Amino acid sequence: MANYPHKRLRRLRYNPIVRDMIRETELSKNDLIFPLFVVPGEKVRNPIKSMPGNFQLSVDELVKECKEVASLGIPAIILFGIPEHKDEQGSEAYDENGIVQKAIRAIKAEVKDLLVITDVCMCEYTSHGHCGVLKGEEILNDETVSLLAKEAISHAEAGADMVAPSDMMDGRVLAIRKALDYKGFSNIPIMSYAAKYSSGYYGPFRDAAESTPAFGDRRSHQMDIGNGDEAIREVESDVEEGADIVMVKPAGPYLDIIWRVKEKFGMPTAAYQVSGEFSMIKAAAQNDWIDGERVMIESLVSIKRAGADMILTYFAKDAARYLDKVRK
Ligand SMILES: [Zn+2]
């Protein structure tokens, strides 16, 4: 039986005050994590061409940037390092004087109230640009896992508040958890890139992190774009291994995965709105094809509505400024 005319869903949409009252999902600054790229040198602020408004920063400039990020009320950053020197074993990844380790110490010394998360992977540090140690063209899983554990420890020793392994090797969460605990870092949480897809949306990031593989691609460890059940198995194994927060990456094209992961595990869930998602919106906005601010917020609210508790996004600063503006 039809419920019209006594039932009218538009009734709650006429008055803007009522609209605000019944909104189910609202973006907050507490949802935001800002990715940053640190490079060697001083006073370096290289614009990343394919990611307008983002820069490769030397440690001194990074500290300034972090002060601004904190003053905007953004609670956290995630750090990616571009080392001076790359080699087959990616040895700067776990060097106490590596670029990320220096950056963490500088931020921790100078910036208050900012959570420093570090990306843990080998691809920025290896001369071949792959996420692990190679034998011929194969990425060796277990050998890579032990280097990742060393890398995570060196980040924790430098003062990182949380580590985020992004490599997608099997067993790395357990290895990192054991290594951190053994070294006395049992309180450092692990945010695992649990369901990370082999995605074309990472294109601009590889400019930023200078981590394009010298040959081949990442399909032997990152997930196939067509798979959903497999994402559940990936997340399940990371949860069993001790992940504290699980991540889905990319975010916008994988909202169904975010939803399924949140429904199934009820874990604190992160989503990474990756460089390609960001750059497409920026580019369209620069051409006046879309209202950039409106689409930015819509993209972030959608990710949150799908179930994400936190969003890694290059829009973090823009979104924080927007939230200040609308709250006035
Ligand atoms: Zn990698």
Side-chain angles (χ1 to χ4, degrees), residues 120 148-157 160-165 172-191 242 244:
V120 175
L148 293 166
K150 275 172 81 172
E151 183 178 2
I153 288 169
S154 83
H155 292 176
E157 282 172 344
D161 298 300
M162 189 183 293
V163 293
R172 90 279 205 217
V173 173
L174 180 64
I176 290 171
R177 183 72 274 155
K178 279 185 172 169
L180 287 172
D181 290 359
Y182 178 72
K183 292 282 185 177
F185 296 110
S186 55
N187 293 335
I188 298 285
I190 298 174
M191 174 195 279
D244 301 284

PDB file of all heavy atoms in Angstrom, residues 120 148-157 160-165 172-191 242 244:
ATOM      1  N   VAL A 120      55.970   2.272   6.206  1.00  0.00           N
ATOM      2  CA  VAL A 120      57.034   1.271   6.259  1.00  0.00           C
ATOM      3  C   VAL A 120      56.976   0.438   4.985  1.00  0.00           C
ATOM      4  O   VAL A 120      56.065  -0.363   4.787  1.00  0.00           O
ATOM      5  CB  VAL A 120      56.882   0.366   7.509  1.00  0.00           C
ATOM      6  CG1 VAL A 120      57.930  -0.747   7.497  1.00  0.00           C
ATOM      7  CG2 VAL A 120      56.993   1.190   8.789  1.00  0.00           C
ATOM      8  N   LEU A 148      61.654  -5.122   6.843  1.00  0.00           N
ATOM      9  CA  LEU A 148      60.550  -4.236   7.245  1.00  0.00           C
ATOM     10  C   LEU A 148      60.476  -4.112   8.765  1.00  0.00           C
ATOM     11  O   LEU A 148      60.209  -3.030   9.301  1.00  0.00           O
ATOM     12  CB  LEU A 148      59.214  -4.773   6.706  1.00  0.00           C
ATOM     13  CG  LEU A 148      59.070  -4.742   5.183  1.00  0.00           C
ATOM     14  CD1 LEU A 148      57.884  -5.599   4.745  1.00  0.00           C
ATOM     15  CD2 LEU A 148      58.922  -3.321   4.663  1.00  0.00           C
ATOM     16  N   ALA A 149      60.738  -5.231   9.446  1.00  0.00           N
ATOM     17  CA  ALA A 149      60.725  -5.195  10.910  1.00  0.00           C
ATOM     18  C   ALA A 149      61.842  -4.277  11.413  1.00  0.00           C
ATOM     19  O   ALA A 149      61.631  -3.471  12.330  1.00  0.00           O
ATOM     20  CB  ALA A 149      60.883  -6.611  11.464  1.00  0.00           C
ATOM     21  N   LYS A 150      63.019  -4.364  10.774  1.00  0.00           N
ATOM     22  CA  LYS A 150      64.129  -3.458  11.150  1.00  0.00           C
ATOM     23  C   LYS A 150      63.750  -2.002  10.907  1.00  0.00           C
ATOM     24  O   LYS A 150      64.049  -1.113  11.711  1.00  0.00           O
ATOM     25  CB  LYS A 150      65.370  -3.766  10.292  1.00  0.00           C
ATOM     26  CG  LYS A 150      66.236  -4.886  10.826  1.00  0.00           C
ATOM     27  CD  LYS A 150      67.321  -5.261   9.835  1.00  0.00           C
ATOM     28  CE  LYS A 150      68.521  -4.320   9.891  1.00  0.00           C
ATOM     29  NZ  LYS A 150      69.638  -4.841   9.045  1.00  0.00           N
ATOM     30  N   GLU A 151      63.103  -1.772   9.771  1.00  0.00           N
ATOM     31  CA  GLU A 151      62.691  -0.408   9.412  1.00  0.00           C
ATOM     32  C   GLU A 151      61.697   0.136  10.457  1.00  0.00           C
ATOM     33  O   GLU A 151      61.842   1.270  10.935  1.00  0.00           O
ATOM     34  CB  GLU A 151      62.049  -0.414   8.017  1.00  0.00           C
ATOM     35  CG  GLU A 151      61.645   0.968   7.519  1.00  0.00           C
ATOM     36  CD  GLU A 151      61.038   0.950   6.102  1.00  0.00           C
ATOM     37  OE1 GLU A 151      60.886  -0.145   5.501  1.00  0.00           O
ATOM     38  OE2 GLU A 151      60.702   2.041   5.603  1.00  0.00           O
ATOM     39  N   ALA A 152      60.728  -0.686  10.833  1.00  0.00           N
ATOM     40  CA  ALA A 152      59.719  -0.249  11.807  1.00  0.00           C
ATOM     41  C   ALA A 152      60.381   0.085  13.149  1.00  0.00           C
ATOM     42  O   ALA A 152      60.059   1.100  13.782  1.00  0.00           O
ATOM     43  CB  ALA A 152      58.653  -1.323  11.981  1.00  0.00           C
ATOM     44  N   ILE A 153      61.323  -0.751  13.566  1.00  0.00           N
ATOM     45  CA  ILE A 153      62.023  -0.486  14.834  1.00  0.00           C
ATOM     46  C   ILE A 153      62.784   0.832  14.750  1.00  0.00           C
ATOM     47  O   ILE A 153      62.740   1.653  15.671  1.00  0.00           O
ATOM     48  CB  ILE A 153      63.002  -1.635  15.164  1.00  0.00           C
ATOM     49  CG1 ILE A 153      62.217  -2.876  15.583  1.00  0.00           C
ATOM     50  CG2 ILE A 153      63.958  -1.234  16.287  1.00  0.00           C
ATOM     51  CD1 ILE A 153      63.077  -4.114  15.670  1.00  0.00           C
ATOM     52  N   SER A 154      63.460   1.071  13.627  1.00  0.00           N
ATOM     53  CA  SER A 154      64.256   2.307  13.547  1.00  0.00           C
ATOM     54  C   SER A 154      63.344   3.534  13.555  1.00  0.00           C
ATOM     55  O   SER A 154      63.719   4.585  14.090  1.00  0.00           O
ATOM     56  CB  SER A 154      65.207   2.289  12.350  1.00  0.00           C
ATOM     57  OG  SER A 154      64.549   2.676  11.184  1.00  0.00           O
ATOM     58  N   HIS A 155      62.142   3.419  13.000  1.00  0.00           N
ATOM     59  CA  HIS A 155      61.186   4.538  13.077  1.00  0.00           C
ATOM     60  C   HIS A 155      60.738   4.756  14.527  1.00  0.00           C
ATOM     61  O   HIS A 155      60.666   5.895  14.997  1.00  0.00           O
ATOM     62  CB  HIS A 155      59.956   4.260  12.199  1.00  0.00           C
ATOM     63  CG  HIS A 155      60.243   4.266  10.727  1.00  0.00           C
ATOM     64  ND1 HIS A 155      59.292   3.960   9.778  1.00  0.00           N
ATOM     65  CD2 HIS A 155      61.380   4.533  10.031  1.00  0.00           C
ATOM     66  CE1 HIS A 155      59.819   4.053   8.569  1.00  0.00           C
ATOM     67  NE2 HIS A 155      61.086   4.377   8.688  1.00  0.00           N
ATOM     68  N   ALA A 156      60.456   3.656  15.212  1.00  0.00           N
ATOM     69  CA  ALA A 156      60.011   3.773  16.612  1.00  0.00           C
ATOM     70  C   ALA A 156      61.130   4.365  17.467  1.00  0.00           C
ATOM     71  O   ALA A 156      60.884   5.235  18.312  1.00  0.00           O
ATOM     72  CB  ALA A 156      59.579   2.405  17.135  1.00  0.00           C
ATOM     73  N   GLU A 157      62.362   3.918  17.219  1.00  0.00           N
ATOM     74  CA  GLU A 157      63.494   4.458  17.993  1.00  0.00           C
ATOM     75  C   GLU A 157      63.682   5.946  17.748  1.00  0.00           C
ATOM     76  O   GLU A 157      64.088   6.688  18.646  1.00  0.00           O
ATOM     77  CB  GLU A 157      64.780   3.683  17.645  1.00  0.00           C
ATOM     78  CG  GLU A 157      64.814   2.329  18.345  1.00  0.00           C
ATOM     79  CD  GLU A 157      65.958   1.426  17.903  1.00  0.00           C
ATOM     80  OE1 GLU A 157      66.568   1.689  16.838  1.00  0.00           O
ATOM     81  OE2 GLU A 157      66.224   0.428  18.612  1.00  0.00           O
ATOM     82  N   ALA A 160      58.701   7.753  16.231  1.00  0.00           N
ATOM     83  CA  ALA A 160      57.401   7.636  15.544  1.00  0.00           C
ATOM     84  C   ALA A 160      56.324   7.175  16.530  1.00  0.00           C
ATOM     85  O   ALA A 160      56.596   6.380  17.428  1.00  0.00           O
ATOM     86  CB  ALA A 160      57.506   6.649  14.386  1.00  0.00           C
ATOM     87  N   ASP A 161      55.109   7.690  16.343  1.00  0.00           N
ATOM     88  CA  ASP A 161      54.003   7.330  17.232  1.00  0.00           C
ATOM     89  C   ASP A 161      53.256   6.098  16.747  1.00  0.00           C
ATOM     90  O   ASP A 161      52.533   5.454  17.517  1.00  0.00           O
ATOM     91  CB  ASP A 161      52.995   8.486  17.311  1.00  0.00           C
ATOM     92  CG  ASP A 161      53.618   9.743  17.879  1.00  0.00           C
ATOM     93  OD1 ASP A 161      54.083   9.690  19.030  1.00  0.00           O
ATOM     94  OD2 ASP A 161      53.656  10.767  17.177  1.00  0.00           O
ATOM     95  N   MET A 162      53.376   5.804  15.459  1.00  0.00           N
ATOM     96  CA  MET A 162      52.641   4.681  14.867  1.00  0.00           C
ATOM     97  C   MET A 162      53.358   4.296  13.586  1.00  0.00           C
ATOM     98  O   MET A 162      53.921   5.174  12.923  1.00  0.00           O
ATOM     99  CB  MET A 162      51.199   5.146  14.550  1.00  0.00           C
ATOM    100  CG  MET A 162      50.243   4.052  14.138  1.00  0.00           C
ATOM    101  SD  MET A 162      48.573   4.674  13.686  1.00  0.00           S
ATOM    102  CE  MET A 162      47.942   5.292  15.221  1.00  0.00           C
ATOM    103  N   VAL A 163      53.338   3.001  13.254  1.00  0.00           N
ATOM    104  CA  VAL A 163      53.961   2.587  11.991  1.00  0.00           C
ATOM    105  C   VAL A 163      52.904   1.981  11.071  1.00  0.00           C
ATOM    106  O   VAL A 163      51.945   1.370  11.529  1.00  0.00           O
ATOM    107  CB  VAL A 163      55.117   1.579  12.205  1.00  0.00           C
ATOM    108  CG1 VAL A 163      56.295   2.241  12.920  1.00  0.00           C
ATOM    109  CG2 VAL A 163      54.651   0.330  12.955  1.00  0.00           C
ATOM    110  N   ALA A 164      53.110   2.188   9.770  1.00  0.00           N
ATOM    111  CA  ALA A 164      52.110   1.775   8.795  1.00  0.00           C
ATOM    112  C   ALA A 164      52.761   1.010   7.647  1.00  0.00           C
ATOM    113  O   ALA A 164      53.218   1.608   6.673  1.00  0.00           O
ATOM    114  CB  ALA A 164      51.375   3.006   8.269  1.00  0.00           C
ATOM    115  N   PRO A 165      52.826  -0.327   7.779  1.00  0.00           N
ATOM    116  CA  PRO A 165      53.429  -1.113   6.700  1.00  0.00           C
ATOM    117  C   PRO A 165      52.540  -1.145   5.450  1.00  0.00           C
ATOM    118  O   PRO A 165      51.364  -1.468   5.520  1.00  0.00           O
ATOM    119  CB  PRO A 165      53.564  -2.521   7.308  1.00  0.00           C
ATOM    120  CG  PRO A 165      52.628  -2.555   8.466  1.00  0.00           C
ATOM    121  CD  PRO A 165      52.455  -1.141   8.943  1.00  0.00           C
ATOM    122  N   ARG A 172      53.981  -9.753   7.480  1.00  0.00           N
ATOM    123  CA  ARG A 172      54.798  -8.624   7.961  1.00  0.00           C
ATOM    124  C   ARG A 172      54.233  -8.000   9.218  1.00  0.00           C
ATOM    125  O   ARG A 172      54.994  -7.494  10.043  1.00  0.00           O
ATOM    126  CB  ARG A 172      55.059  -7.624   6.843  1.00  0.00           C
ATOM    127  CG  ARG A 172      54.047  -6.521   6.687  1.00  0.00           C
ATOM    128  CD  ARG A 172      52.834  -6.923   5.932  1.00  0.00           C
ATOM    129  NE  ARG A 172      52.276  -5.690   5.351  1.00  0.00           N
ATOM    130  CZ  ARG A 172      51.006  -5.419   5.236  1.00  0.00           C
ATOM    131  NH1 ARG A 172      50.107  -6.282   5.644  1.00  0.00           N
ATOM    132  NH2 ARG A 172      50.593  -4.302   4.703  1.00  0.00           N
ATOM    133  N   VAL A 173      52.900  -8.033   9.396  1.00  0.00           N
ATOM    134  CA  VAL A 173      52.348  -7.408  10.597  1.00  0.00           C
ATOM    135  C   VAL A 173      52.824  -8.157  11.851  1.00  0.00           C
ATOM    136  O   VAL A 173      53.276  -7.548  12.823  1.00  0.00           O
ATOM    137  CB  VAL A 173      50.805  -7.331  10.535  1.00  0.00           C
ATOM    138  CG1 VAL A 173      50.236  -6.849  11.859  1.00  0.00           C
ATOM    139  CG2 VAL A 173      50.368  -6.403   9.402  1.00  0.00           C
ATOM    140  N   LEU A 174      52.757  -9.477  11.776  1.00  0.00           N
ATOM    141  CA  LEU A 174      53.221 -10.283  12.915  1.00  0.00           C
ATOM    142  C   LEU A 174      54.707 -10.034  13.194  1.00  0.00           C
ATOM    143  O   LEU A 174      55.117  -9.838  14.352  1.00  0.00           O
ATOM    144  CB  LEU A 174      52.982 -11.775  12.634  1.00  0.00           C
ATOM    145  CG  LEU A 174      53.413 -12.727  13.746  1.00  0.00           C
ATOM    146  CD1 LEU A 174      52.598 -12.496  15.015  1.00  0.00           C
ATOM    147  CD2 LEU A 174      53.279 -14.189  13.296  1.00  0.00           C
ATOM    148  N   ALA A 175      55.508 -10.026  12.126  1.00  0.00           N
ATOM    149  CA  ALA A 175      56.952  -9.812  12.313  1.00  0.00           C
ATOM    150  C   ALA A 175      57.232  -8.440  12.921  1.00  0.00           C
ATOM    151  O   ALA A 175      58.080  -8.300  13.818  1.00  0.00           O
ATOM    152  CB  ALA A 175      57.675  -9.951  10.966  1.00  0.00           C
ATOM    153  N   ILE A 176      56.531  -7.428  12.457  1.00  0.00           N
ATOM    154  CA  ILE A 176      56.743  -6.071  12.990  1.00  0.00           C
ATOM    155  C   ILE A 176      56.270  -5.990  14.440  1.00  0.00           C
ATOM    156  O   ILE A 176      56.944  -5.414  15.295  1.00  0.00           O
ATOM    157  CB  ILE A 176      56.030  -5.026  12.095  1.00  0.00           C
ATOM    158  CG1 ILE A 176      56.744  -4.924  10.742  1.00  0.00           C
ATOM    159  CG2 ILE A 176      55.960  -3.664  12.776  1.00  0.00           C
ATOM    160  CD1 ILE A 176      56.016  -4.085   9.697  1.00  0.00           C
ATOM    161  N   ARG A 177      55.116  -6.609  14.725  1.00  0.00           N
ATOM    162  CA  ARG A 177      54.589  -6.597  16.103  1.00  0.00           C
ATOM    163  C   ARG A 177      55.582  -7.240  17.075  1.00  0.00           C
ATOM    164  O   ARG A 177      55.890  -6.711  18.138  1.00  0.00           O
ATOM    165  CB  ARG A 177      53.236  -7.318  16.127  1.00  0.00           C
ATOM    166  CG  ARG A 177      52.505  -7.344  17.461  1.00  0.00           C
ATOM    167  CD  ARG A 177      51.920  -5.976  17.847  1.00  0.00           C
ATOM    168  NE  ARG A 177      52.885  -5.136  18.541  1.00  0.00           N
ATOM    169  CZ  ARG A 177      52.852  -3.801  18.579  1.00  0.00           C
ATOM    170  NH1 ARG A 177      51.927  -3.124  17.940  1.00  0.00           N
ATOM    171  NH2 ARG A 177      53.759  -3.125  19.233  1.00  0.00           N
ATOM    172  N   LYS A 178      56.090  -8.422  16.662  1.00  0.00           N
ATOM    173  CA  LYS A 178      57.055  -9.135  17.524  1.00  0.00           C
ATOM    174  C   LYS A 178      58.317  -8.312  17.735  1.00  0.00           C
ATOM    175  O   LYS A 178      58.833  -8.214  18.845  1.00  0.00           O
ATOM    176  CB  LYS A 178      57.445 -10.475  16.879  1.00  0.00           C
ATOM    177  CG  LYS A 178      56.438 -11.579  17.098  1.00  0.00           C
ATOM    178  CD  LYS A 178      57.025 -12.858  16.509  1.00  0.00           C
ATOM    179  CE  LYS A 178      56.176 -14.063  16.836  1.00  0.00           C
ATOM    180  NZ  LYS A 178      56.605 -15.231  16.038  1.00  0.00           N
ATOM    181  N   ALA A 179      58.808  -7.708  16.635  1.00  0.00           N
ATOM    182  CA  ALA A 179      60.048  -6.931  16.720  1.00  0.00           C
ATOM    183  C   ALA A 179      59.855  -5.706  17.604  1.00  0.00           C
ATOM    184  O   ALA A 179      60.704  -5.396  18.450  1.00  0.00           O
ATOM    185  CB  ALA A 179      60.494  -6.515  15.310  1.00  0.00           C
ATOM    186  N   LEU A 180      58.736  -5.011  17.441  1.00  0.00           N
ATOM    187  CA  LEU A 180      58.477  -3.822  18.266  1.00  0.00           C
ATOM    188  C   LEU A 180      58.377  -4.218  19.737  1.00  0.00           C
ATOM    189  O   LEU A 180      58.958  -3.558  20.615  1.00  0.00           O
ATOM    190  CB  LEU A 180      57.181  -3.133  17.824  1.00  0.00           C
ATOM    191  CG  LEU A 180      57.214  -2.368  16.488  1.00  0.00           C
ATOM    192  CD1 LEU A 180      55.802  -1.920  16.116  1.00  0.00           C
ATOM    193  CD2 LEU A 180      58.150  -1.167  16.545  1.00  0.00           C
ATOM    194  N   ASP A 181      57.656  -5.297  20.009  1.00  0.00           N
ATOM    195  CA  ASP A 181      57.483  -5.736  21.403  1.00  0.00           C
ATOM    196  C   ASP A 181      58.823  -6.099  22.031  1.00  0.00           C
ATOM    197  O   ASP A 181      59.124  -5.724  23.162  1.00  0.00           O
ATOM    198  CB  ASP A 181      56.526  -6.931  21.475  1.00  0.00           C
ATOM    199  CG  ASP A 181      55.086  -6.529  21.161  1.00  0.00           C
ATOM    200  OD1 ASP A 181      54.847  -5.328  20.902  1.00  0.00           O
ATOM    201  OD2 ASP A 181      54.214  -7.412  21.167  1.00  0.00           O
ATOM    202  N   TYR A 182      59.627  -6.816  21.258  1.00  0.00           N
ATOM    203  CA  TYR A 182      60.926  -7.262  21.750  1.00  0.00           C
ATOM    204  C   TYR A 182      61.819  -6.079  22.104  1.00  0.00           C
ATOM    205  O   TYR A 182      62.579  -6.124  23.072  1.00  0.00           O
ATOM    206  CB  TYR A 182      61.591  -8.136  20.665  1.00  0.00           C
ATOM    207  CG  TYR A 182      62.962  -8.633  21.031  1.00  0.00           C
ATOM    208  CD1 TYR A 182      63.123  -9.627  22.001  1.00  0.00           C
ATOM    209  CD2 TYR A 182      64.102  -8.111  20.396  1.00  0.00           C
ATOM    210  CE1 TYR A 182      64.393 -10.080  22.342  1.00  0.00           C
ATOM    211  CE2 TYR A 182      65.362  -8.568  20.726  1.00  0.00           C
ATOM    212  CZ  TYR A 182      65.513  -9.544  21.707  1.00  0.00           C
ATOM    213  OH  TYR A 182      66.755  -9.980  22.036  1.00  0.00           O
ATOM    214  N   LYS A 183      61.689  -4.995  21.332  1.00  0.00           N
ATOM    215  CA  LYS A 183      62.523  -3.802  21.576  1.00  0.00           C
ATOM    216  C   LYS A 183      61.892  -2.831  22.570  1.00  0.00           C
ATOM    217  O   LYS A 183      62.388  -1.717  22.743  1.00  0.00           O
ATOM    218  CB  LYS A 183      62.775  -3.061  20.251  1.00  0.00           C
ATOM    219  CG  LYS A 183      63.654  -3.833  19.299  1.00  0.00           C
ATOM    220  CD  LYS A 183      65.118  -3.723  19.707  1.00  0.00           C
ATOM    221  CE  LYS A 183      66.017  -4.401  18.690  1.00  0.00           C
ATOM    222  NZ  LYS A 183      67.444  -4.238  19.033  1.00  0.00           N
ATOM    223  N   GLY A 184      60.788  -3.226  23.180  1.00  0.00           N
ATOM    224  CA  GLY A 184      60.182  -2.370  24.198  1.00  0.00           C
ATOM    225  C   GLY A 184      59.171  -1.370  23.661  1.00  0.00           C
ATOM    226  O   GLY A 184      58.806  -0.419  24.347  1.00  0.00           O
ATOM    227  N   PHE A 185      58.704  -1.586  22.424  1.00  0.00           N
ATOM    228  CA  PHE A 185      57.715  -0.664  21.848  1.00  0.00           C
ATOM    229  C   PHE A 185      56.337  -1.310  21.764  1.00  0.00           C
ATOM    230  O   PHE A 185      55.638  -1.189  20.760  1.00  0.00           O
ATOM    231  CB  PHE A 185      58.176  -0.202  20.459  1.00  0.00           C
ATOM    232  CG  PHE A 185      59.441   0.606  20.475  1.00  0.00           C
ATOM    233  CD1 PHE A 185      60.624   0.075  19.955  1.00  0.00           C
ATOM    234  CD2 PHE A 185      59.458   1.887  21.015  1.00  0.00           C
ATOM    235  CE1 PHE A 185      61.796   0.818  19.965  1.00  0.00           C
ATOM    236  CE2 PHE A 185      60.632   2.628  21.028  1.00  0.00           C
ATOM    237  CZ  PHE A 185      61.807   2.094  20.508  1.00  0.00           C
ATOM    238  N   SER A 186      55.962  -1.985  22.838  1.00  0.00           N
ATOM    239  CA  SER A 186      54.673  -2.695  22.775  1.00  0.00           C
ATOM    240  C   SER A 186      53.481  -1.741  22.723  1.00  0.00           C
ATOM    241  O   SER A 186      52.370  -2.151  22.418  1.00  0.00           O
ATOM    242  CB  SER A 186      54.537  -3.667  23.945  1.00  0.00           C
ATOM    243  OG  SER A 186      54.728  -2.972  25.154  1.00  0.00           O
ATOM    244  N   ASN A 187      53.713  -0.459  23.024  1.00  0.00           N
ATOM    245  CA  ASN A 187      52.607   0.512  22.951  1.00  0.00           C
ATOM    246  C   ASN A 187      52.489   1.226  21.612  1.00  0.00           C
ATOM    247  O   ASN A 187      51.625   2.079  21.442  1.00  0.00           O
ATOM    248  CB  ASN A 187      52.743   1.567  24.054  1.00  0.00           C
ATOM    249  CG  ASN A 187      52.549   0.958  25.424  1.00  0.00           C
ATOM    250  OD1 ASN A 187      51.890  -0.080  25.550  1.00  0.00           O
ATOM    251  ND2 ASN A 187      53.119   1.572  26.443  1.00  0.00           N
ATOM    252  N   ILE A 188      53.369   0.916  20.681  1.00  0.00           N
ATOM    253  CA  ILE A 188      53.297   1.569  19.362  1.00  0.00           C
ATOM    254  C   ILE A 188      52.313   0.789  18.471  1.00  0.00           C
ATOM    255  O   ILE A 188      52.523  -0.388  18.193  1.00  0.00           O
ATOM    256  CB  ILE A 188      54.688   1.592  18.675  1.00  0.00           C
ATOM    257  CG1 ILE A 188      55.690   2.396  19.511  1.00  0.00           C
ATOM    258  CG2 ILE A 188      54.596   2.128  17.248  1.00  0.00           C
ATOM    259  CD1 ILE A 188      55.517   3.892  19.454  1.00  0.00           C
ATOM    260  N   PRO A 189      51.224   1.450  18.054  1.00  0.00           N
ATOM    261  CA  PRO A 189      50.233   0.748  17.227  1.00  0.00           C
ATOM    262  C   PRO A 189      50.707   0.535  15.784  1.00  0.00           C
ATOM    263  O   PRO A 189      51.549   1.281  15.282  1.00  0.00           O
ATOM    264  CB  PRO A 189      49.013   1.687  17.231  1.00  0.00           C
ATOM    265  CG  PRO A 189      49.304   2.749  18.229  1.00  0.00           C
ATOM    266  CD  PRO A 189      50.785   2.823  18.384  1.00  0.00           C
ATOM    267  N   ILE A 190      50.124  -0.472  15.153  1.00  0.00           N
ATOM    268  CA  ILE A 190      50.375  -0.744  13.732  1.00  0.00           C
ATOM    269  C   ILE A 190      49.102  -0.449  12.933  1.00  0.00           C
ATOM    270  O   ILE A 190      48.045  -1.016  13.203  1.00  0.00           O
ATOM    271  CB  ILE A 190      50.783  -2.217  13.492  1.00  0.00           C
ATOM    272  CG1 ILE A 190      52.085  -2.538  14.234  1.00  0.00           C
ATOM    273  CG2 ILE A 190      50.916  -2.508  11.999  1.00  0.00           C
ATOM    274  CD1 ILE A 190      52.484  -4.014  14.161  1.00  0.00           C
ATOM    275  N   MET A 191      49.252   0.454  11.975  1.00  0.00           N
ATOM    276  CA  MET A 191      48.177   0.691  11.001  1.00  0.00           C
ATOM    277  C   MET A 191      48.587  -0.050   9.742  1.00  0.00           C
ATOM    278  O   MET A 191      49.549   0.353   9.083  1.00  0.00           O
ATOM    279  CB  MET A 191      48.048   2.201  10.721  1.00  0.00           C
ATOM    280  CG  MET A 191      47.060   2.538   9.614  1.00  0.00           C
ATOM    281  SD  MET A 191      47.258   4.243   9.016  1.00  0.00           S
ATOM    282  CE  MET A 191      46.359   5.123  10.266  1.00  0.00           C
ATOM    283  N   GLY A 242      47.865  -8.946  14.509  1.00  0.00           N
ATOM    284  CA  GLY A 242      48.038  -7.887  15.508  1.00  0.00           C
ATOM    285  C   GLY A 242      47.898  -6.466  15.000  1.00  0.00           C
ATOM    286  O   GLY A 242      48.299  -5.525  15.692  1.00  0.00           O
ATOM    287  N   ASP A 244      46.377  -2.943  14.565  1.00  0.00           N
ATOM    288  CA  ASP A 244      45.473  -2.178  15.433  1.00  0.00           C
ATOM    289  C   ASP A 244      44.461  -1.395  14.614  1.00  0.00           C
ATOM    290  O   ASP A 244      43.341  -1.137  15.058  1.00  0.00           O
ATOM    291  CB  ASP A 244      46.297  -1.212  16.290  1.00  0.00           C
ATOM    292  CG  ASP A 244      47.303  -1.969  17.138  1.00  0.00           C
ATOM    293  OD1 ASP A 244      46.888  -2.554  18.137  1.00  0.00           O
ATOM    294  OD2 ASP A 244      48.500  -2.013  16.765  1.00  0.00           O
TER     295      ASP A 244
END
